[in-house]
Amino acid sequence: MKTNLSTIGLLFVAIWILSSCAPGVQLIDVEKRVAPGYQVELSDKSISIFASLDGKSDSALVSNLAQGLATSLEKRLSREEGSIFVFSLKKDSSGIDPDIIRDLSVESNSDLVFILSNVSIGNPGIYPNKVPGSEYHSTFLQLPFVLSLDVYDGITAETLARLSVKDTIVWEIVSRNELKQSLLNQKSNEIFAGAALDIGDNISQNFFEKWESETRSLYYLFGSEWEEALNAAASFDWGRASEIWMRIVSSSKNKVAACAAYNLAVACEMQGNKDLALEWLSFSKKKYPLQLTGEYELQLQNNVLSK
C-alpha cells in the first residue's frame, strides 16, 4: 500500500495531548491494492477478440465494443496499437464448442480467445433539464445495456473467464432548442458507439489489479518515539514504525499499550498480514477499550472473509 500523511498539524496534536489524558488520532491516506476480478494471465500471451454477430445485435455496435476492448487491453499491457486483432464471428455464442475455440485460436494465431456477444441496448431514459434563464437546453440520456464476454485458452479450449455485464451509460446533450424524443432515440446508437472505448476500458479493468484510496487512523501520544513512528508510517516505512510500537506495547500503562497495539494492527494490515492485525487488535482491546478498535476490527474481519 501507498500512504500519504494528512495535513493535521503535529504541533497542534502535541499541544492538545499535553493538555489532556486522551491519545490523539492521526489520519493517513492509503492506497490499497485490489486483486483482479478474474485471474487470467495476459502477459506474454497473444490475444484475439471475436465479435459474435448473431443477427440480433447491431453488428457495428458489437464491432466498436470489441475494438474498444482491444484498445484498452493494448494500453494496459503496454503493447503497440493494433497488436490485438479483432475479428467478426458470424455465429451465435451458444453454439461455440471446444473445437471451434481451437480453430479460432489457430486461425488468429492467438493464445487467448475473447468472444464478445449478446450485446443489447435497452430503451433510453430521457430526462430534460432546462436551466431557468439559460439559452441552452440540457438533456440527460440514460442507455442501459448488457453484454457477455467469454475468455478461452486457445489450446485447451478451457473457459478462463465468463463476464455478464449489465450497466448504464449517462450522456448529457446540450442544445439551443429542446430535442424531440424521436431524434434522441435515433442518437442512442451513435452515443453508444462513442462510448465504446470507455466501456471497453471498464471491462478490461476486470483483468488487472487496481488501487483504491482509503483512510486509516493511528493513535498518537506525546513523545519523540511516537512522532518518529508516525513519520515512518507516513513514509511507508512500516517496518521501522513497527519496531518503535513493539517497544511501546510492553508499557505498564494499559492505555499506552493499547494504542501501540492498535497501530501495530494497522502496520500488519498495510504489510498484507490481516490475521496478525486481528491478533493485535484483540490484544489492544484487552489492554484498554479504545474508541476506534471495534469498527476497525469489523472492517478487517470483512476483508479477511472476502479474500
Side-chain angles (χ1 to χ4, degrees), residues 4 45 64 78 99 103 127 151 153 172 178 198 204 215 219 249 258 260 276 283 297 302:
N4 179 39
K45 300 283 187 180
N64 282 336
S78 300
D99 288 335
D103 288 343
Y127 304 94
V151 182
D153 184 301
E172 183 183 15
E178 186 173 356
D198 290 333
S204 71
T215 301
Y219 279 103
V249 80
L276 185 56
F283 179 85
E297 184 177 38
N302 290 337

mmCIF file of all heavy atoms in Angstrom, residues 4 45 64 78 99 103 127 151 153 172 178 198 204 215 219 249 258 260 276 283 297 302:
data_model
loop_
_atom_site.group_PDB
_atom_site.id
_atom_site.type_symbol
_atom_site.label_atom_id
_atom_site.label_comp_id
_atom_site.label_asym_id
_atom_site.label_seq_id
_atom_site.Cartn_x
_atom_site.Cartn_y
_atom_site.Cartn_z
ATOM 1 N N ASN A 4 -0.024 8.485 2.537
ATOM 2 C CA ASN A 4 0.210 9.925 2.463
ATOM 3 C C ASN A 4 -0.311 10.535 3.752
ATOM 4 O O ASN A 4 -1.479 10.377 4.097
ATOM 5 C CB ASN A 4 -0.523 10.529 1.264
ATOM 6 C CG ASN A 4 -0.314 12.032 1.191
ATOM 7 O OD1 ASN A 4 0.773 12.500 1.461
ATOM 8 N ND2 ASN A 4 -1.359 12.752 0.853
ATOM 9 N N LYS A 45 1.019 -13.219 -23.664
ATOM 10 C CA LYS A 45 0.037 -14.033 -24.371
ATOM 11 C C LYS A 45 -0.480 -13.266 -25.580
ATOM 12 O O LYS A 45 -0.802 -12.074 -25.477
ATOM 13 C CB LYS A 45 -1.141 -14.385 -23.461
ATOM 14 C CG LYS A 45 -0.777 -15.173 -22.211
ATOM 15 C CD LYS A 45 -0.517 -16.630 -22.525
ATOM 16 C CE LYS A 45 -0.337 -17.427 -21.241
ATOM 17 N NZ LYS A 45 -0.081 -18.859 -21.523
ATOM 18 N N ASN A 64 -17.572 -2.155 -32.660
ATOM 19 C CA ASN A 64 -16.996 -0.996 -31.966
ATOM 20 C C ASN A 64 -16.593 -1.344 -30.534
ATOM 21 O O ASN A 64 -15.544 -0.923 -30.044
ATOM 22 C CB ASN A 64 -17.992 0.161 -31.949
ATOM 23 C CG ASN A 64 -18.060 0.897 -33.278
ATOM 24 O OD1 ASN A 64 -17.119 0.866 -34.056
ATOM 25 N ND2 ASN A 64 -19.185 1.557 -33.541
ATOM 26 N N SER A 78 0.710 -2.329 -22.360
ATOM 27 C CA SER A 78 1.819 -1.579 -22.986
ATOM 28 C C SER A 78 2.228 -2.209 -24.316
ATOM 29 O O SER A 78 3.421 -2.399 -24.609
ATOM 30 C CB SER A 78 3.023 -1.512 -22.036
ATOM 31 O OG SER A 78 2.685 -0.862 -20.829
ATOM 32 N N ASP A 99 -13.958 -27.389 -30.146
ATOM 33 C CA ASP A 99 -13.297 -27.480 -31.447
ATOM 34 C C ASP A 99 -13.278 -26.120 -32.156
ATOM 35 O O ASP A 99 -12.288 -25.753 -32.806
ATOM 36 C CB ASP A 99 -14.010 -28.515 -32.324
ATOM 37 C CG ASP A 99 -13.756 -29.944 -31.846
ATOM 38 O OD1 ASP A 99 -12.715 -30.157 -31.198
ATOM 39 O OD2 ASP A 99 -14.597 -30.820 -32.112
ATOM 40 N N ASP A 103 -10.068 -23.905 -33.341
ATOM 41 C CA ASP A 103 -9.960 -23.421 -34.723
ATOM 42 C C ASP A 103 -9.743 -21.905 -34.763
ATOM 43 O O ASP A 103 -8.919 -21.398 -35.534
ATOM 44 C CB ASP A 103 -11.225 -23.771 -35.500
ATOM 45 C CG ASP A 103 -11.329 -25.262 -35.807
ATOM 46 O OD1 ASP A 103 -10.299 -25.954 -35.714
ATOM 47 O OD2 ASP A 103 -12.445 -25.732 -36.102
ATOM 48 N N TYR A 127 -34.261 12.607 -19.913
ATOM 49 C CA TYR A 127 -34.571 13.499 -18.809
ATOM 50 C C TYR A 127 -34.162 14.939 -19.162
ATOM 51 O O TYR A 127 -32.995 15.305 -19.036
ATOM 52 C CB TYR A 127 -33.850 13.037 -17.541
ATOM 53 C CG TYR A 127 -34.167 11.614 -17.166
ATOM 54 C CD1 TYR A 127 -33.333 10.570 -17.579
ATOM 55 C CD2 TYR A 127 -35.303 11.305 -16.433
ATOM 56 C CE1 TYR A 127 -33.626 9.255 -17.255
ATOM 57 C CE2 TYR A 127 -35.609 9.993 -16.100
ATOM 58 C CZ TYR A 127 -34.768 8.974 -16.515
ATOM 59 O OH TYR A 127 -35.071 7.666 -16.201
ATOM 60 N N VAL A 151 -13.710 -15.744 -22.148
ATOM 61 C CA VAL A 151 -12.281 -15.831 -22.430
ATOM 62 C C VAL A 151 -11.874 -17.297 -22.383
ATOM 63 O O VAL A 151 -12.164 -18.006 -21.414
ATOM 64 C CB VAL A 151 -11.452 -15.022 -21.411
ATOM 65 C CG1 VAL A 151 -9.966 -15.091 -21.763
ATOM 66 C CG2 VAL A 151 -11.926 -13.572 -21.363
ATOM 67 N N ASP A 153 -8.818 -20.424 -23.239
ATOM 68 C CA ASP A 153 -7.461 -20.846 -23.567
ATOM 69 C C ASP A 153 -7.506 -21.435 -24.972
ATOM 70 O O ASP A 153 -8.256 -22.379 -25.238
ATOM 71 C CB ASP A 153 -6.986 -21.901 -22.561
ATOM 72 C CG ASP A 153 -5.542 -22.308 -22.781
ATOM 73 O OD1 ASP A 153 -5.235 -22.799 -23.887
ATOM 74 O OD2 ASP A 153 -4.730 -22.158 -21.856
ATOM 75 N N GLU A 172 -24.948 13.589 -21.401
ATOM 76 C CA GLU A 172 -25.603 14.892 -21.399
ATOM 77 C C GLU A 172 -25.482 15.526 -22.784
ATOM 78 O O GLU A 172 -24.394 15.603 -23.348
ATOM 79 C CB GLU A 172 -24.991 15.824 -20.354
ATOM 80 C CG GLU A 172 -25.705 17.169 -20.272
ATOM 81 C CD GLU A 172 -25.069 18.126 -19.285
ATOM 82 O OE1 GLU A 172 -23.916 17.874 -18.875
ATOM 83 O OE2 GLU A 172 -25.717 19.134 -18.942
ATOM 84 N N GLU A 178 -35.007 22.539 -27.612
ATOM 85 C CA GLU A 178 -35.370 21.286 -26.963
ATOM 86 C C GLU A 178 -35.427 20.173 -28.010
ATOM 87 O O GLU A 178 -36.031 20.320 -29.071
ATOM 88 C CB GLU A 178 -36.736 21.427 -26.274
ATOM 89 C CG GLU A 178 -37.115 20.210 -25.448
ATOM 90 C CD GLU A 178 -38.384 20.436 -24.645
ATOM 91 O OE1 GLU A 178 -38.913 21.575 -24.678
ATOM 92 O OE2 GLU A 178 -38.848 19.491 -24.004
ATOM 93 N N ASP A 198 -14.659 3.716 -23.521
ATOM 94 C CA ASP A 198 -14.859 3.751 -22.068
ATOM 95 C C ASP A 198 -15.440 2.426 -21.568
ATOM 96 O O ASP A 198 -15.040 1.919 -20.511
ATOM 97 C CB ASP A 198 -15.795 4.900 -21.691
ATOM 98 C CG ASP A 198 -15.145 6.260 -21.881
ATOM 99 O OD1 ASP A 198 -13.908 6.331 -21.796
ATOM 100 O OD2 ASP A 198 -15.868 7.240 -22.115
ATOM 101 N N SER A 204 -12.038 -4.278 -19.386
ATOM 102 C CA SER A 204 -10.667 -4.778 -19.256
ATOM 103 C C SER A 204 -10.130 -4.630 -17.842
ATOM 104 O O SER A 204 -9.251 -5.392 -17.424
ATOM 105 C CB SER A 204 -9.750 -4.046 -20.243
ATOM 106 O OG SER A 204 -9.531 -2.702 -19.848
ATOM 107 N N THR A 215 -8.682 5.435 4.034
ATOM 108 C CA THR A 215 -8.093 6.190 5.141
ATOM 109 C C THR A 215 -7.917 5.273 6.344
ATOM 110 O O THR A 215 -8.794 4.464 6.647
ATOM 111 C CB THR A 215 -8.987 7.382 5.528
ATOM 112 O OG1 THR A 215 -9.153 8.235 4.400
ATOM 113 C CG2 THR A 215 -8.354 8.189 6.663
ATOM 114 N N TYR A 219 -3.112 5.983 16.436
ATOM 115 C CA TYR A 219 -3.119 6.679 17.726
ATOM 116 C C TYR A 219 -1.762 7.316 17.960
ATOM 117 O O TYR A 219 -0.719 6.800 17.544
ATOM 118 C CB TYR A 219 -3.470 5.712 18.852
ATOM 119 C CG TYR A 219 -4.960 5.485 18.970
ATOM 120 C CD1 TYR A 219 -5.551 4.321 18.492
ATOM 121 C CD2 TYR A 219 -5.775 6.458 19.556
ATOM 122 C CE1 TYR A 219 -6.925 4.126 18.593
ATOM 123 C CE2 TYR A 219 -7.148 6.274 19.664
ATOM 124 C CZ TYR A 219 -7.712 5.103 19.184
ATOM 125 O OH TYR A 219 -9.065 4.914 19.275
ATOM 126 N N VAL A 249 4.572 -1.193 23.196
ATOM 127 C CA VAL A 249 3.432 -2.045 23.529
ATOM 128 C C VAL A 249 3.632 -2.793 24.850
ATOM 129 O O VAL A 249 2.660 -3.280 25.452
ATOM 130 C CB VAL A 249 3.168 -3.042 22.369
ATOM 131 C CG1 VAL A 249 4.127 -4.227 22.425
ATOM 132 C CG2 VAL A 249 1.723 -3.511 22.385
ATOM 133 N N ALA A 258 -2.329 -0.217 24.604
ATOM 134 C CA ALA A 258 -3.451 -0.430 23.683
ATOM 135 C C ALA A 258 -3.272 0.392 22.411
ATOM 136 O O ALA A 258 -3.551 -0.082 21.303
ATOM 137 C CB ALA A 258 -4.763 -0.064 24.371
ATOM 138 N N ALA A 260 -0.420 1.440 21.088
ATOM 139 C CA ALA A 260 0.660 0.857 20.298
ATOM 140 C C ALA A 260 0.197 -0.418 19.603
ATOM 141 O O ALA A 260 0.534 -0.662 18.436
ATOM 142 C CB ALA A 260 1.860 0.571 21.199
ATOM 143 N N LEU A 276 -2.641 -11.420 11.548
ATOM 144 C CA LEU A 276 -1.846 -10.886 12.669
ATOM 145 C C LEU A 276 -2.404 -9.543 13.122
ATOM 146 O O LEU A 276 -2.381 -9.219 14.316
ATOM 147 C CB LEU A 276 -0.383 -10.744 12.252
ATOM 148 C CG LEU A 276 0.595 -10.316 13.359
ATOM 149 C CD1 LEU A 276 0.522 -11.268 14.549
ATOM 150 C CD2 LEU A 276 2.021 -10.244 12.801
ATOM 151 N N PHE A 283 -5.432 -7.952 21.312
ATOM 152 C CA PHE A 283 -4.551 -7.583 22.426
ATOM 153 C C PHE A 283 -4.859 -6.162 22.895
ATOM 154 O O PHE A 283 -4.898 -5.872 24.099
ATOM 155 C CB PHE A 283 -3.099 -7.698 21.976
ATOM 156 C CG PHE A 283 -2.092 -7.332 23.030
ATOM 157 C CD1 PHE A 283 -1.665 -8.268 23.957
ATOM 158 C CD2 PHE A 283 -1.574 -6.042 23.106
ATOM 159 C CE1 PHE A 283 -0.737 -7.919 24.949
ATOM 160 C CE2 PHE A 283 -0.657 -5.687 24.068
ATOM 161 C CZ PHE A 283 -0.235 -6.642 24.998
ATOM 162 N N GLU A 297 -11.800 -3.491 13.739
ATOM 163 C CA GLU A 297 -11.820 -4.953 13.808
ATOM 164 C C GLU A 297 -12.870 -5.525 12.852
ATOM 165 O O GLU A 297 -12.624 -6.500 12.134
ATOM 166 C CB GLU A 297 -12.102 -5.415 15.236
ATOM 167 C CG GLU A 297 -12.042 -6.929 15.411
ATOM 168 C CD GLU A 297 -12.255 -7.342 16.853
ATOM 169 O OE1 GLU A 297 -13.095 -6.711 17.528
ATOM 170 O OE2 GLU A 297 -11.594 -8.294 17.305
ATOM 171 N N ASN A 302 -14.252 -8.367 7.783
ATOM 172 C CA ASN A 302 -14.954 -8.408 6.496
ATOM 173 C C ASN A 302 -13.966 -8.592 5.353
ATOM 174 O O ASN A 302 -14.228 -9.323 4.397
ATOM 175 C CB ASN A 302 -15.766 -7.133 6.292
ATOM 176 C CG ASN A 302 -16.964 -7.054 7.213
ATOM 177 O OD1 ASN A 302 -17.454 -8.078 7.696
ATOM 178 N ND2 ASN A 302 -17.433 -5.855 7.477
#
